[in-house]
Amino acid sequence: PPAVIEGAYTIEEVYSKRSELRGKLVKVRGKVVKVSDNIMDRTWVHIQDGTGSEGSDKLIFRSKSESAVVGSVVIAEGVLETDKDFGFGYFYPVIIEDSTFSK
């Protein structure tokens, strides 16, 4: 089970509570499974914590200035947005913006 961090949500909780969390700062502790630099002027950090099911078992945290290392465990924080459509087939029911990462 993921370690409990005060004020943090599991990825499963973020998906299930996404309507009430929209526009709010959320914190998740998890493992960095993928990092995509310089996509639409942002770094996209994919995080998993072992919760959720297929299609809702990872979150993407987007940041202008911060990044994280694949394989590391971080506390990721940012503002939750829902139903974000970037066009070109890039639609996200949940995505986290203005993110920061810490150990």
Side-chain angles (χ1 to χ4, degrees):
V4 178
I5 303 288
E6 190 176 331
Y9 294 94
T10 66
I11 290 174
E12 190 171 38
E13 287 171 329
V14 170
Y15 275 94
S16 67
K17 298 177 179 178
R18 65 181 177 261
S19 297
E20 63 192 78
L21 292 174
R22 184 175 50 228
K24 294 191 170 87
L25 195 65
V26 296
K27 188 181 346 182
V28 169
R29 180 180 185 272
K31 185 175 189 175
V32 178
V33 295
K34 180 180 175 184
V35 176
S36 301
D37 291 314
N38 226 355
I39 308 291
M40 297 183 213
D41 200 31
R42 299 281 186 284
T43 298
W44 300 50
V45 178
H46 300 241
I47 292 184
Q48 289 184 312
D49 68 357
T51 67
S53 50
E54 182 76 36
S56 62
D57 62 349
K58 76 177 172 192
L59 281 173
I60 297 172
F61 288 79
R62 291 184 359 123
S63 178
K64 279 186 184 176
S65 58
E66 299 222 2
S67 189
V69 178
V70 171
S72 64
V73 174
V74 297
I75 297 168
E77 213 168 342
V79 178
L80 188 140
E81 294 195 18
T82 59
D83 303 324
K84 188 94 170 183
D85 190 347
F86 295 103
F88 307 104
Y90 292 101
F91 177 82
Y92 298 91
V94 176
I95 196 162
I96 317 290
E97 297 286 0
D98 303 322
S99 303
T100 60
F101 307 96
S102 57
K103 294 279 187 231

